[in-house]
Structure formats: structure tokens, C-alpha cells
Amino acid sequence: MSTDKPAMAASLIDQCLDPAGDIGLFSDQQWLDALLRFEAALARAQASAGLVPASAAAAIARACASIELNRADFVERARGTGAFGIGLVDPIRAFLASHDPAALPCLHWGTTTQDAVDTAHAVLTKTALAALLDELQKLAAALRALAHAHAATPMMARSLLQPAQVTSFGFKCAQSAGALQRSASQLCTLAPHALCVQLGGAVGNRAAMGHRAAQVELVLAAELGLWASGQSWHTQRDAWMRLAMEASVCAGSLSKLARDWSLMSQFEVGELAEAPRGRTSSAMPHKRNSVHCMQAIALTQPVPGLAASLLGAMTQAHERAMGEWQAELSVWAPLWRRVHGAAAALRLAADGLRVDAARMQSHIDALYQVIFSEACTDALAPITGREAAQQAIEHLAPQALAQRQPLSALLQHWVATTRGAEPARAAAHALATATDPQRAVQASAACCHELLRALDASEPSSSLEPHHV
């Protein structure tokens, strides 16, 4: 048991930005509890393998359940020694000296500080990953629901922020759901390789425990709900880092979604709006800011830098890092908190999202059919030839916008004056089909439904329980 002190999980500003900040991932309390769990579980695992007496293991477990780890003392010992585990082992040793001195030689036997810290870190990361997967599952479900509802809702696609062609809002939602489900699936695939017990001993060879180390590892992993890799990963951090890198990729997908929705929520665009929540500006009462999109963008903005710092920390010298592992510890938790917070923010945005389909259509209409230029080229190609059609559209499209006339009308007049009445009648029919928004959206609607079927068939399991648990 550790002292009940305020958790210092995140700064004031971080918590203001994170709608899920009260969950408290990687809090001080969780860290201290996980470290104590490691020592108690290690002793029981070693007793099961016949390496320490069962009475000693029971005494160590009692000590871990009884002592109060003082945060200030823990920090002071770590600062003075450079070893995080000293602040863990010393209080347990003091308790045993007073209550069960015979168990003292068995405490922390055959292991090292990094074994305790890495294993505790894996326990906390598993909790963070489960929380992230839960948010991703809810957000993906909300996106799929939007995709089903708006599979055939026409909207203007933008390329380099400029009008491109007609797509559907549902297709955009399905694409985002797909990206998030792929990340969730990849995170679940990587978890058994990353969320493993660390049990290397002094230099990673498990010399003290010998051939019984594997049994100890399996029992320890089972008790802590982790996996057993069968080897030390003190300075080989590849599997561990892959999990964080996938979380970073997920942050990129979340940031892209937040960016798109925030742009669509601008007043002059007005295609989306988050649920109303009253005043969102201290100076301008009329404003209705997209708060959750802002939160998601703010939370994900530093993630690439955090990911780069983690990758940079992989250059760990020989069998024990000289500062790189310690730097990794300080960067790891903020990355996970930020990705989880961004997912929570967008889930809240999606749950109350207001879609203005009429506004989406109005932006298509405001382009006077210029948005259908490719379809118009295809429609006129059999009548006028492709090159002539392209040249005509390139010339007439600016006129359509300037004169506020439908492009199809200008094209029909061009065909009539250059090709005659009969080709003009054929062009009128072909252009009417080419400039129909409901026809134009069908390709995106079909892609949306196809993607939704694939997502429904491949929705990943969010279970993070090893088979031996």
C-alpha cells in the first residue's frame, strides 16, 4: 500500500485540454502500487519455482501490502542514487527487518531495478492501452453510424483545400473509422510482444535464477496479467517501441479527423457543428467554438516529437542505458495520455455532431457545376472529342463562376454553335446526367458501403488478457 497523495499525472494545462483527464493514467499512485505488486508477485513466483521459501514469499507479500511508500522519500532516494528501485526496496527491507528478518535475503532476489520499473511500466501501459482501445471502439462505432446515415449525402471533396469533386460525408466517416480500427487491430497484435514481464537480472542473463527463470517469468506474468517474452529486453526496446509508434500513428489519424471536422465547422463553411454547450469565448458571446476538435488537435500536436524522443532513446549502451532509458520513462506516459485524450475528445464530438446536409449541397450548387468538369469532359468526349471538350471546359469554367451560370448551359451553347443542333441535343442529355449530384455521389456511396462491410467483418477484439491468465 502506498501513501494516498495527490496524483501528479498531468499539468493543469494538460488536464484542461483533456476531456478524459480524470482517468489518471500513469499516476504516481498507480506507479507506486505497480512497483509493490511486482515485488510481491516476484517473491510468490520464485517460491513456486523453489527458489525462495514460501514463508519468505508470504512475508514479502505482507510487507508490500502493509508499507506506505512515501512519494517524497522515493523521489529523494532516486535522485541521490540514480536508481528508481532504491526507493521501493529500502522501505520493504525496513519493514522486513522489524517483522520478518528471515525473509530479508529473499527480497528482490536475482533481479534489478529495471526489472521492477519496466514490469510496472508494462502494467500501467496495459491499463492505458485498454482505455485507449475502449475510446477507439466507441469513436469508430460513432463514425460507422454516421457513415451509414450519410453514405449518400453529397458534399464537396477538397484537394489542396480547393473544390475537387463530389464525395459523400459518409465515405469520409467510414475512411476515418477504418484508420482507427486498423490502429486498434495493430495495437492488439503488438501488445503480446510489448507488454511483457522484465526479468533479466543484473545484465539480462538471469544468472541468479538459472534454469528456473523461465518458470518464474511465466508465473510472474500470469499474476500481473502480462505476457512472458522468454528473454530480457533491458536495452533491446524494439517490441516496446513498436507499440508506442502505433499509438503515434493512431494520433495522426485522430488529428486528421479533428482537422477535417474543424475546417468543416468554420462559420463560412458551416457543414458540421459540435453539440451546443453554451458560451465558448470569454470576450465574444456569439462564438460557438469546436471545442472537442480543438482539444484533439492540441493533444496530438506534440505526439510526433514525443515519438521521435522515444526512438532517439533506443541507443542504449551495452547492457544498461546511460540516461536513454530514463529519458524514455519521462516521455512514455505523456504520449499515451495525449492519444487517449484525443480519442475521447473526438468521441464526444462525434456523439453530438450536427451534420448540415443542405449546407453541403449549397456549396456544390455555388460552383455552378464546375465541380463536375471531369464528368462533363467524359460526357462530351463522344460528341466533340476529348481534347476539344477539355479545352472548352477550361475556357468556360471561369465564365460559369463569374457569370453565375451553370457550366452545362455554357457547354450546350458551345456545342450548338460549333457542332450544330443535333449534337447539342445529345450534349444536353449527357450533361444533365454528368451534373446530377445524386448520380455523382453514387461512387462514394458504393465505396462507403463496401468499406463498412469490411469494417464490420474485421472489427478487432479489445481483449488484452494473455492466455495464461
Side-chain angles (χ1 to χ4, degrees), residues 36 214 257 277 302 347 452:
L36 288 170
L257 175 61
R277 57 176 55 80
R347 187 255 304 164
L452 286 171

Side-chain angles (χ1 to χ4, degrees), residues 114-130:
Q114 190 171 350
D115 291 336
V117 174
D118 273 346
T119 301
H121 213 184
V123 169
L124 299 187
T125 301
K126 182 184 175 187
T127 299
L129 176 56

Side-chain angles (χ1 to χ4, degrees), residues 39 42 46 51-52 60 104-112 199 207-210 216:
E39 292 295 342
L42 172 66
Q46 290 176 333
L51 290 172
V52 303
I60 293 170
L104 277 169
C106 303
L107 174 64
H108 203 65
W109 182 79
T111 61
T112 189
L199 197 66
M209 286 180 278
V216 174

Side-chain angles (χ1 to χ4, degrees), residues 52-120:
V52 303
S55 59
I60 293 170
R62 282 195 300 273
C64 291
S66 302
I67 67 169
E68 293 185 350
L69 289 180
N70 182 279
R71 182 185 182 278
D73 290 345
F74 185 95
V75 170
E76 188 63 28
R77 285 185 171 94
R79 283 175 178 166
T81 64
F84 295 108
I86 300 296
L88 166 69
V89 175
D90 281 0
I92 304 174
R93 181 175 287 117
F95 184 93
L96 291 175
S98 300
H99 297 82
D100 295 282
L104 277 169
C106 303
L107 174 64
H108 203 65
W109 182 79
T111 61
T112 189
T113 290
Q114 190 171 350
D115 291 336
V117 174
D118 273 346
T119 301

